[in-house]
Structure formats: C-alpha cells, structure tokens
Amino acid sequence: MGTRPWVAAAFLLPALVLLGALVVYPIVFSVYRSLFDTSGDGFVGLGNYGEMFSDEGIRTALKNNVIWVVVAPAVSTALGLIFAVLTERIRWGTAFKLVVFMPMAISMLAAGIIFRLVYDQDPERGVANAVWVSVHDTFAEPAPFPGAKPRPNADLKPSGGGAFTTKTAVRAVPQGSPANLPLVAVQQDDVRDAEPAAAAKPRPGSITGTVWLDFTRGGGGRLNVIDGNEKALAGLKVEAVKGGQVVASATTAADGTYALPADKADGALLRLPATNFAAPYHGVDWLGPVLVTPAIIGSYVWMWAGFAMVLIAAGLAGVPRELLEAARVDGAGEWQVFRRITVPLLAPVLVVVLVTLMINVLKIFDLVYIIAPGSSIRSANVLALQLFQSSFGTDVDEGLGSAIAVFLLLLVLPVMYVNLRRIRKERRR
C-alpha cells in the first residue's frame, strides 16, 4: 500500500516491546535459569531436568497431567456436544444453555471453594456425600444402635468384628431364667422415643430375655436390673449360636423383649451381631488419595462444559438444514444423522474446543491447589502446581522450577502447532 517501512515499524514497536518483555524475555530467562542450581551460581546443565524426572512427586504430577489432558477435554466436549444437540429444538433450550454456561462466570477460586464444600466428608455439609448416603441408606438398613456396647461386668464379651457373645449358654425353663442383655453407650437420640424396657416372662418352649439401655438418667439405677425408667432397645437382632453356627435368631420388640425357640436355642450362646452396632455410613472419601483427581476433574467439567456447549451450538447453527432433512427423507434415523452428518460437519468446531481445553488443562493450578486437602495434595499434584511449589513453596529451588516451566512450554507447543495449522487451513478455504 505504499507505507514506508519506518512508519510500519513505529506502529509495531509498542506491541513488539510488550511481546518481548512479557513473553520472549521470560521464556529465555527460564531456559537460562533452568541450567543453574538452587542459588543460581553453579552451572548444572541438564541436571535439573534429570532431577525432574527422577523425583517421585514430579512423576506423579506428570501422570496426573496425562489424565487431565486425556479425560477433562474429552468429557467436557462430549457433554457440550450432547447439550447443544439435545437443546436445539426444545422451547426452553436457551434457558438451559444459560444455566449450564453460568459456571463460566465463576472464578476458579470460587469454584474451588464451592467444590471443597461439595466434596466434604461430612454428609451434613457435603452435597455429594449427602446424596450418596441417602442412596446407600435406601438400600442398606443402618445399624439401630451404633456404638453401643455391654457393661464391663455383664455376661457379654467381644467375639470379633464388633459382635458380642454371652459367656454362658442359655437354658430353657424351668432350668433357665430370662437371658437379659444390658447395654450402655447408646446415643440418646437413638432412644429418645423408645418405650420403657419390660422384663421378659418365662415362656414354655421359648428362651426369652430383654435387651435394654442399662442406664438411669440422674443416677440411682441398679446394674444389670431393669429399672422402671430405663429404655428398651427395639429392632436389635439376637442370634443363638452353637458350634459357630447360627441356629436361631430373633429381633427385639418395642419393649426390648425377644423370644427364641427352645428346641434350637437351648444350650446355645447368645450373640449380638456387629450389624447392630456398626457406625453410620458416611459416604465416600471424595478427596482421599484415590479419588481426589477424578473429583477435581469433575469440578473442572462442571465449569467448562458450558463453554464447549456454547461454541458447539454456534457451529450447529451453521449446519445446513437441507442435508439433515435430506438424510431423514432417505430413511436415516436420528442416531445415523447425528453420527454421519452432524458430527462430521461439526468436526472443525470440536477440534477448536478440544485444543483450547487441552491447552487450558495443561496450565490447571487453581482448582487443585484449593480443592485438594493437605493429606491428598501429593496424590492430586499437577505440573503447574509443582512449578509453584518448587519456585515459591517451602523448599524453593528456582532451577528446578524453571526446568518444570520449560517442560510445560514444550508440552504446550505441539498443541499450539496443531492449532495454528488448523487456522491456516481455515483461512485458505
């Protein structure tokens, strides 16, 4: 256009200065600094890179980065594609897309705090465990009296696995008397609405007894004796055991009494199985060493699935409807239309979303740093977090931190190269 070179250079100079100061200089300095030791005075060559691959913590971070790159972009893109296609024809599709996209407006810091609470181990605080415990308790009956145990001087003794068994065998009437089983350490909430315990009466052909809370509020009660205001333990399972085999079982009634058939239970030991006293189910340790990485990836997908959905929906709006209708007229089903026409036409958009998310997860730091507790931080470690810890943490080693930074740059470069090639092909078209 006839523009003089020095005029073009004058306009480009501010951008080039900023680019050099903010991009080129940090890269060159990081490469230079990675060749020196912790103090920066001793030249170690590629020693920091060797240490990077020999350190167990950094190898864990590298493994987790591979999991992030493979799983998080693929799941986010797949969900975005599903949401975009399913909401294309429904009336409230725009509202649904708005709700799904809203997490993008939340910062990583805020999202990390939210999901730290969502994954809390206590079902009273953590939504994930509250749902999980509700589902579990729907199919598995909780223990009626968690934590209960016999008195030290009672006829019951621990028999392994949390169960308690009588020391002496029971006998039917007239030789025997009711086999009463006193317990303590019962939570008050579990007996708040319980009936008063009743003394079991001898019954011909049966072995009877009572299981109750041998504790009188305010004191004054007698040990191993059913006092008038002591509570019954209803719904508790009692087993008769002979030779290690259960020969009969019964469940205590509302007044704490039970009855076993004498022809089977006579001469047997009575056992209160561990299922009566098992601790309440508290759900899954989402932030434990095993599940912490999948849990954090789940929070990332919650944030970025909306981003993928919006881009894919924009690409879907440009798909020629004539092709879709022609395929349906030719007898193609919706799944065939989706797999053979919609997805191939959306391939350029899907590649953009995948590449963008892959670059993004290589730099993931905030969510891992905030969500992972101290006990699981090593299991959830990623390269960007290790870079921060090596450069600014308690064991500062700027040489090692610079080596990690250079390695991260090398990981990003192939993805950026693929993206640039794709952009050039699009421009040629």
Side-chain angles (χ1 to χ4, degrees), residues 94 144 155 203 261 265 326 352:
T94 302
D155 191 39
R203 187 186 309 172
V352 170

Side-chain angles (χ1 to χ4, degrees), residues 14-28 30:
L16 293 175
V17 170
L18 288 176
L19 185 66
L22 301 179
V23 178
V24 177
Y25 172 75
I27 292 176
V28 173
S30 295

Side-chain angles (χ1 to χ4, degrees), residues 129-143:
N129 264 340
V131 175
W132 193 266
V133 169
S134 299
V135 174
H136 174 273
D137 290 346
T138 300
F139 298 98
E141 189 71 22

Side-chain angles (χ1 to χ4, degrees), residues 24-50:
V24 177
Y25 172 75
I27 292 176
V28 173
F29 180 78
S30 295
V31 173
Y32 170 79
R33 185 65 180 84
S34 68
L35 304 176
F36 289 82
D37 60 8
T38 304
S39 63
D41 299 326
F43 181 79
V44 295
L46 300 179
N48 287 321
Y49 295 92

Side-chain angles (χ1 to χ4, degrees), residues 147-309:
K149 59 184 179 181
R151 283 190 177 278
N153 59 346
D155 191 39
L156 289 166
K157 64 177 181 179
S159 54
F164 300 99
T165 305
T166 56
K167 301 175 184 177
T168 57
V170 293
R171 294 293 179 183
V173 292
Q175 294 90 351
S177 58
N180 294 329
L181 304 173
L183 296 177
V184 294
V186 178
Q187 300 179 23
Q188 288 299 319
D189 290 341
D190 294 335
V191 293
R192 189 177 303 279
D193 299 323
E195 295 183 8
K201 298 180 180 180
R203 187 186 309 172
S206 298
I207 293 176
T208 60
T210 302
V211 185
W212 83 102
L213 174 59
D214 191 15
F215 173 77
T216 302
R217 298 190 67 179
R222 295 166 293 171
L223 300 181
N224 300 325
V225 177
I226 301 175
D227 295 307
N229 58 348
E230 292 180 341
K231 298 291 187 178
L233 301 182
L236 193 142
K237 190 175 183 180
V238 182
E239 297 175 341
V241 180
K242 284 184 179 180
Q245 301 294 323
V246 178
V247 295
S249 64
T251 302
T252 56
D255 59 359
T257 60
Y258 67 91
L260 295 166
D263 59 338
K264 295 181 179 180
D266 188 31
L269 298 175
L270 296 184
R271 181 173 67 187
L272 300 178
T275 53
N276 292 317
F277 316 113
Y281 181 69
H282 289 292
V284 178
D285 187 8
W286 298 104
L287 299 182
V290 176
L291 295 177
V292 62
T293 295
I296 299 174
I297 290 177
S299 65
Y300 178 89
V301 171
W302 176 77
M303 290 190 67
W304 287 88
F307 166 81
M309 178 195 65

